[in-house]
Amino acid sequence: MASATSIELAGGPKIDMCYGRVDADASPDQSVAPFGLPDAYPKDEPAAHLRHVFGKYDGMGDREIVALSGAHTLGRAFKERSGAVTNCAGEAGATKYTCSAYCAAGVSGTSNGMAGGKSWTSNWLRFDNSYFSLGGKMDPTNLIAFPTDTVLETDAGFKPYFDKYAASEAAFFADYAASHKKLSELGSNFSPAEGIRI
């Protein structure tokens, strides 16, 4: 609920989620490393790494991988958390987009909260399709573009979706909402069996 609501409040799509998920007693057999989030700097080729990680989730394909990667339109990376950037929390680790003087929501008078870290987009508190401009390629001092981001623009399977989402925020929102729902509800049992919609 928190992720879907946060996306919507940040300007993104409404995600038709099913609630009432029952906790599992054990991890499924397919829960073997690497699982969870992809590595920013994978040891293997970035496209293969993304497909390996997401492929474990009910065979998520290229469309879902690119759409879910677009969630990087929100947020920042921190040295203390992922170690994938040198930017730490606080003003000393801030970029021009993550310092306390900049308004990442694009709304006058809105605070960024804690300064620091490095973002993928300049307005990293607003959910939109700006991730697909890969600002980190043009402005690597202030924005991120990891190998797992840039491969979306060049890999033959990912590129059609990357280009589609760069050109159309509506197309990105539709595919993102479907992919987010699929990932969130994957393998879940609900009580009641049909779940709860709000």
Side-chain angles (χ1 to χ4, degrees), residues 7-197:
I7 297 289
E8 186 177 358
L9 291 175
K14 179 169 179 52
I15 301 170
D16 178 33
M17 298 288 293
C18 187
Y19 299 99
R21 186 169 56 192
V22 177
D23 290 339
D25 294 329
S27 293
D29 293 337
Q30 67 268 32
S31 294
V32 294
F35 55 90
L37 300 174
D39 295 330
Y41 297 102
K43 293 182 178 108
D44 53 345
E45 195 274 325
H49 176 71
L50 288 169
R51 289 185 177 108
H52 175 72
V53 171
F54 283 103
K56 292 181 178 190
Y57 300 117
D58 198 26
M60 287 205 165
D62 292 351
R63 179 179 60 86
E64 289 99 347
I65 293 169
V66 178
L68 290 169
S69 295
H72 282 149
T73 193
L74 292 178
R76 304 170 281 177
F78 291 88
K79 179 181 180 178
E80 302 90 341
R81 296 179 188 164
S82 68
V85 296
T86 58
N87 305 76
C88 58
E91 284 299 330
T95 70
K96 73 179 184 180
Y97 301 119
T98 62
C99 66
S100 59
Y102 183 79
C103 177
V107 179
S108 180
T110 303
S111 169
N112 287 344
M114 177 186 72
K118 196 171 193 180
S119 58
W120 284 261
T121 66
S122 59
N123 291 327
W124 50 269
L125 291 175
R126 186 170 58 211
F127 196 93
D128 58 21
N129 67 335
S130 64
Y131 166 80
F132 298 101
S133 69
L134 288 180
K137 284 176 51 182
M138 277 35 104
D139 186 6
T141 301
N142 292 295
L143 297 170
I144 303 168
F146 292 132
T148 47
D149 298 313
T150 59
V151 73
L152 302 176
E153 185 181 37
T154 59
D155 177 85
F158 295 146
K159 184 172 176 42
Y161 300 107
F162 183 94
D163 292 344
K164 177 182 175 182
Y165 303 153
S168 171
E169 187 171 85
F172 167 52
F173 279 15
D175 286 353
Y176 179 83
S179 301
H180 184 119
K181 176 180 174 60
K182 179 179 177 178
L183 183 62
S184 295
E185 297 177 4
L186 185 64
S188 298
N189 294 313
F190 296 92
S191 179
E194 68 278 7
I196 300 166
R197 300 233 186 272

